[in-house]
Amino acid sequence: MRLARIATDDGPVVGRYEDGVVHADDGTYEIDESRLLPPCEPSALYCVGRNYAATLDQMAYERPEEPDFFIKPPASLLGHGDPIPYPNFTDELTYAGELAAVIDEPCHDVPEDEVTDVVRGYTIMNDVDALDQQGRTARKAFDGSGPLGPWIETDVDPTAIEMRTDVAGERRQEANTELMLFDPYEIVSYLSKRFTFRSGDVVAFGSPANPGLIEHGDAVEITYEGLGTLRNTVVESIE
């Protein structure tokens, strides 16, 4: 089942998405992409890096002994179809197509074999990075650095999903989540020992090889089979 969150005249509504229609408690809504909101309201986005061997080789990183992570704030969120503002403070903006879990209920210290009980489903994140900034927070935690969507898929095996990323119509990434060094269950369990998750929190599992530069006007399309495609276009910042 796909769960979408949409904008209405009466405020955000969540419902089951099917073929352009959202079935909510108060009725049905025919929608277009402009009404899709980020599919959840996280208190934080917990993002794991360096989780694919090919990415480590490409970036000359050492293999981590345990999940390597950073945090994006809620202000980083963008929805499906929202423009990605190119910040004035960077000349090296990059994309990275990632699978992400959405936490369903408050939880802490979750065993690996119980992770499926606390995950609402899976969605797609673009880990936008200002590569020339100093330190991970400056690089990755700014406004608009976390496009997320288009919806949450509740019925999917996260350990073997084919993915691809196209930028301006050119294939940039192609991989399978089975190539992760730490699988989604390991990562959610690991992070839950350090943080108390809240309902709607996001855990992103890292990018396959070939994250790269994006420019003004580039359309970024990240597809995970069985989940859908997250689309956003880079625009000039209005700041």
Side-chain angles (χ1 to χ4, degrees):
M1 179 171 64
R2 289 177 172 175
L3 300 174
R5 183 167 166 265
I6 62 171
T8 75
D9 292 341
D10 297 320
V13 168
V14 176
R16 175 171 48 89
Y17 176 87
E18 290 182 339
D19 299 324
V21 177
V22 171
H23 304 269
D25 290 342
D26 62 346
T28 60
Y29 299 84
E30 293 188 10
I31 66 166
D32 58 36
E33 292 186 357
S34 65
R35 295 177 66 184
L36 284 170
L37 299 173
C40 55
E41 296 182 275
S43 68
L45 294 85
Y46 301 91
C47 306
V48 168
R50 307 182 184 189
N51 197 30
Y52 285 81
T55 308
L56 301 184
D57 293 342
Q58 179 186 21
M59 306 300 289
Y61 292 144
E62 293 185 3
R63 179 169 178 151
E65 295 183 359
E66 55 188 18
D68 176 63
F69 66 90
F70 56 94
I71 296 173
K72 290 180 185 272
S76 68
L77 277 178
L78 294 175
H80 175 73
D82 288 343
I84 301 172
Y86 198 116
N88 293 326
F89 54 76
T90 181
D91 294 316
E92 294 184 59
L93 198 67
T94 66
Y95 66 87
E98 305 191 4
L99 179 69
V102 178
I103 302 298
D104 193 40
E105 59 187 55
C107 56
H108 179 76
D109 198 10
V110 181
E112 285 185 35
D113 61 1
E114 296 180 14
V115 166
T116 55
D117 297 333
V118 302
V119 169
R120 185 179 307 164
Y122 294 85
T123 189
I124 302 167
M125 191 184 82
N126 186 353
D127 176 20
V128 179
D129 186 336
L131 198 61
D132 54 0
Q133 300 303 293
Q134 296 298 311
R136 263 188 173 167
T137 299
R139 283 175 47 193
K140 292 176 172 286
F142 53 89
D143 288 3
S145 63
L148 191 74
W151 41 65
I152 298 168
E153 174 58 65
T154 64
D155 185 19
V156 66
D157 177 359
T159 62
I161 303 175
E162 294 286 339
M163 70 81 63
R164 60 185 181 273
T165 300
D166 296 320
V167 178
E170 177 187 354
R171 182 64 43 87
R172 298 283 187 87
Q173 292 183 297
E174 202 162 14
N176 191 294
T177 59
E178 67 184 2
L179 300 174
M180 289 181 181
L181 302 178
F182 304 99
D183 72 37
Y185 306 122
E186 291 179 88
I187 290 169
V188 171
S189 177
Y190 174 88
L191 291 173
S192 76
K193 293 175 170 58
R194 290 153 177 78
F195 306 100
T196 297
F197 289 136
R198 298 181 181 181
S199 178
D201 282 353
V202 170
V203 180
F205 302 115
S207 172
N210 298 323
L213 293 173
I214 45 179
E215 306 292 344
H216 297 104
D218 282 350
V220 184
E221 299 184 327
I222 303 167
T223 300
Y224 277 77
E225 295 298 335
L227 272 75
T229 299
L230 173 66
R231 297 183 183 89
N232 302 88
T233 299
V234 183
V235 299
E236 187 173 355
S237 175
I238 61 174
E239 297 177 2

